[in-house]
Amino acid sequence: MSFALSPARPLRLPPVLAAVAVLAVLALPLAPGGAEGGAGPADAVSALVVLYAALRVVRERRRPLSATAAVVLGMPVVGLAVAATGAASPGAGLTGLGRYLQVFVLVPAAVLLLVRDRADFRLLAWSFVGLAGWQGAVGVHQYVTGTGASYQGEEIRAVGTFGPQDVMGMATVVAFGLVCAVGLALGRAPVRQRVAAGACALGLLVPLAVSFSRGAWIATVLTCGAQLALAGLRQALKVAAVAVAAGVVLVGGFGVGTAMLQERLSSIGQVTDAPDQSVVDRYTLWAAATGMWREHPVTGVGLKNFPAYRDGHASLALSSGSDTEGAGAAYRKQPLLSPHNMYLLVLSEQGLLGLLALGGSWLAMLVCGLRGWWRVRGDGRGLDCALVACGLLIWQLVDFAYADIGGPSTVLTAVVFGAVAWWALVGAERTR
């Protein structure tokens, strides 16, 4: 008797692992000063991801994007092209244009092409959770051991591997992971996966707290509230009860609510009554950006021209920069080169044309994403994907009111927009 041996099937890894590789690189520590502008390792990997996605499209000879996806992702190009011509120099225009295209067009399109189905999307979501867990663990260790970035004279601010020059980096990563975990926990996946996701979400509350990032706190609270509302009343009540219990344990049992943390939390309501210097600087920069837009309402002052026009529109209340040190880096005065508000940055440099083009792309993705949620909310299949995608976009749009692009963690924003674009423009139509 003879047996026919079937040839072994080659192991085929999912293409989405290329996007996961970007997240993996962001887990690596940066050299002191490595966060000071310029392209980093994660940016280089993101360029390879774009190339890989393009080669797959050519090899498979298929239509890369639907007409709707091409329009939604391509909308920002119009405003960017016009604003690039108004830059101070051709080099600055090309640099700014390349950065915006990377974050809002090319990498999101590549991620959209590499995610094949909802299983790939969930793998990417869990990768966000994993990266957040690692960066959060590093951040908590910095807080406990006093080896973090300087905050009120003590080196306790959790910044993960990003260093004090990208002080928002770890907070952004942890918030993204927490939003993904909440979305996965509120879905209709097997109980074991939902419990694991819920545990991860609760654990990520600690590093988010010790990041001392008020903007990340506000965006996370609003986003998780929106996710609970989208998940349904019953799920919302269950999760709210668990969150309250966890808060009691963290604050009362483990002493997370230190005096500094409580002071930082209470300062959110004091930004108009008794603002600290960081808030004064932010208000001054916002006023400067608004002044630039008033003078150039349609096309703005040009890409990367905000620093050149800043002093001519800012009041004397603006400080010379923010003090950064700790987490392995020496003291440095970091200049304030942006308004720390993405909408005002676009408005000042690209004018109404750029803001309508870029904001229109984001709004279209939000509408399409919510339409996908409406489609799957009944049977529950894909509800977790809808909650993750809508949550990530809501978080980013809220956070853009307090922050803009810049630093090594910016490439993570590009991957987020890619994940959101897949659900909004492709994934909601799939059955699995």
Side-chain angles (χ1 to χ4, degrees):
M1 182 180 296
S2 61
F3 297 92
L5 297 177
S6 59
R9 293 182 178 179
L11 178 62
R12 293 186 177 181
L13 299 176
V16 73
L17 288 180
V20 173
V22 178
L23 276 65
V25 174
L26 286 172
L28 302 177
L30 291 171
E36 300 178 25
D43 296 294
V45 174
S46 73
L48 295 176
V49 170
V50 173
L51 179 62
Y52 172 61
L55 291 176
R56 279 181 55 85
V57 170
V58 173
R59 186 182 65 182
E60 296 176 359
R61 298 180 180 178
R62 62 187 176 91
R63 185 178 180 180
L65 298 172
S66 66
T68 302
V71 170
V72 171
L73 290 176
M75 286 175 65
V77 177
V78 178
L80 291 172
V82 174
T85 62
S89 66
L94 288 175
T95 301
L97 179 63
R99 186 60 155 170
Y100 274 95
L101 290 178
Q102 173 204 16
V103 177
F104 300 115
V105 180
L106 297 178
V107 174
V111 174
L112 184 153
L113 293 170
L114 295 175
V115 177
R116 301 170 302 178
D117 50 31
R118 292 175 182 176
D120 282 358
F121 184 90
R122 293 183 181 104
L123 174 60
L124 185 59
W126 276 109
S127 300
F128 274 102
V129 177
L131 175 62
W134 163 248
Q135 290 287 355
V138 174
V140 171
H141 178 267
Q142 292 170 335
Y143 173 77
V144 172
T145 59
T147 55
S150 178
Y151 177 75
Q152 294 187 0
E154 298 185 40
E155 295 185 354
I156 59 171
R157 187 168 190 174
V159 292
T161 64
F162 294 100
Q165 281 75 37
D166 189 12
V167 74
M168 283 287 297
M170 189 215 74
T172 301
V173 169
V174 170
F176 282 150
L178 196 154
V179 168
C180 288
V182 170
L184 293 167
L186 293 174
R188 306 289 172 80
V191 175
R192 183 178 301 178
Q193 295 183 32
R194 285 188 282 131
V195 171
C200 290
L202 292 175
L204 290 174
L205 290 174
V206 178
L208 183 63
V210 296
S211 70
F212 293 97
S213 173
R214 293 173 293 199
W217 293 349
I218 294 171
T220 303
V221 169
L222 294 177
T223 300
C224 291
Q227 287 178 304
L228 289 174
L230 295 176
L233 180 60
R234 181 181 301 178
Q235 289 281 67
L237 291 176
K238 290 180 180 178
V239 174
V242 174
V244 170
V248 172
V249 173
L250 290 174
V251 176
F254 295 101
V256 173
T258 62
M260 285 188 178
L261 185 58
Q262 293 173 2
E263 179 184 350
R264 186 69 166 178
L265 185 63
S266 62
S267 69
I268 294 176
Q270 299 173 353
V271 292
T272 56
D273 298 332
D276 54 35
Q277 185 58 47
S278 66
V279 176
V280 171
D281 286 340
R282 185 159 302 188
Y283 285 165
T284 306
L285 291 169
W286 289 0
T290 305
M292 296 177 201
W293 168 69
R294 288 197 184 101
E295 291 185 1
H296 304 82
V298 180
T299 59
V301 298
L303 289 183
K304 299 186 76 68
N305 273 353
F306 181 88
Y309 284 79
R310 183 199 64 183
D311 292 343
H313 294 82
S315 69
L316 296 177
L318 182 67
S319 66
S320 59
S322 58
D323 300 331
T324 63
E325 66 177 324
Y331 172 81
R332 179 177 180 270
K333 179 74 74 172
Q334 189 168 359
L336 303 173
L337 303 179
S338 73
H340 296 283
N341 180 304
M342 190 65 201
Y343 306 107
L344 291 178
L345 176 63
V346 174
L347 192 64
S348 62
E349 292 190 342
Q350 301 178 43
L352 277 176
L353 178 63
L355 184 61
L356 290 176
L358 198 57
S361 175
W362 301 338
L363 181 60
M365 281 193 279
L366 180 60
V367 171
C368 292
L370 291 174
R371 186 179 63 180
W373 160 78
W374 182 265
R375 184 171 298 158
V376 302
R377 80 192 195 288
D379 58 14
R381 291 183 299 176
L383 179 61
D384 55 344
C385 298
L387 295 176
V388 169
C390 293
L392 287 174
L393 183 56
I394 291 171
W395 190 95
Q396 191 63 78
L397 295 182
V398 174
D399 185 70
F400 273 164
Y402 308 96
D404 47 46
I405 57 175
S409 59
T410 296
V411 70
L412 190 67
T413 300
V415 179
V416 163
F417 275 107
V420 171
W422 180 84
W423 169 256
L425 304 171
V426 177
E429 307 290 338
R430 301 287 177 87
T431 57
R432 63 180 184 88

